[in-house]
């Protein structure tokens, strides 16, 4: 079907971090999906992206759900819980219960909903994140079945084990990762996709041990330490950020 409007809810994953336009603003998978959907829908297609980096589940619900419902979109994506999983104390089952209420309200409004099983990040982050992500992923599968939502299974795609899919911070997608995610979303929606978005380069040769440890130290200094510092100060990377597309607007507006 041709969707008339699309609203993207969430955090940095949906905001599009590390996939930059020439002016330095972020594109990401949601912008790519919206641009493709507009081809079928025409110039009146509306797109809004409310996602803001650093947001946790309750903030996404409190700040983004009511504005999304007010826009009455045909299609809504929501990806949330990743930042919660990074906290020392979190109940991932409670996060799934919160997400249940969001999906229910969106479906009651008549919107189709896109949910995600997150890609596997345990190859370069603590294993506890994998256990929490597994609960969120199982919850997304359950909610998709319960409410008839679209489920995008990034966890089941081994291409995301390739380092080329990830940015230098090892947590956010690279431009190639965003393109592949957009391809998965469009395939789930039954929309044709640019085959180049699904290409994955050959796996790199294993990094010698000393070089790998040096890379780990640089990552800890450049990415982990700043995150820990913000967390200890009660700050978020999204504190001064506003949604890049707060209202439904034609795809040519803001692209």
């Amino acid at each position: 079907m041709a969707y008339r409007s699309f609203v993207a809810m969430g955090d940095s994953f949906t905001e599009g971090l590390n996939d930059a336009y020439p002016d330095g603003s972020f594109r990401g998978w949601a912008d790519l999906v919206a641009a493709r959907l507009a081809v079928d829908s025409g110039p009146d297609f509306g797109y809004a992206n409310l996602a803001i980096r650093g947001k946790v589940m309750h903030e996404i619900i409190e700040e983004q759900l009511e504005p999304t419902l007010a826009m009455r979109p045909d299609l809504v994506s929501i990806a949330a819980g990743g930042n919660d999983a990074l906290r020392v104390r979190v109940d991932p089952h409670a996060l799934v219960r919160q997400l249940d209420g969001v999906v229910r309200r969106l479906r009651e409004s008549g919107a189709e909903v896109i949910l995600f099983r997150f890609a596997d990040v345990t190859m370069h982050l603590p294993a506890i994140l994998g256990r929490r992500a597994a609960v969120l992923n199982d919850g997304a599968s359950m909610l998709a079945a319960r409410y008839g939502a679209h489920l995008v299974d990034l966890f089941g795609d081994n291409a995301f084990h390739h380092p080329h899919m990830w940015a230098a911070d090892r947590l956010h997608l690279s431009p190639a990762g965003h393109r592949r995610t957009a391809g998965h979303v469009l395939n789930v929606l039954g929309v044709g996709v640019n085959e180049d978005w699904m290409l994955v380069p050959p796996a790199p040769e294993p990094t010698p041990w000393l070089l790998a440890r040096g890379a780990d130290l640089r990552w800890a200094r450049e990415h982990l330490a700043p995150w820990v510092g913000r967390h200890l100060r009660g700050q978020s990377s999204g504190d001064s950020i506003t949604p890049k597309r707060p209202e439904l607007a034609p795809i040519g507006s803001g692209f």
Side-chain angles (χ1 to χ4, degrees), residues 25 27 110 217 222 234 236:
S25 63
R27 177 177 56 180
L217 290 173
E222 297 173 7
S236 167

Side-chain angles (χ1 to χ4, degrees), residues 2 9 25 84 115 124 142 151 179 208 214 237:
M9 300 172 57
S25 63
D84 299 83
L115 298 172
H124 41 59
M142 176 192 68
L151 182 64
R179 290 195 299 273
S237 57

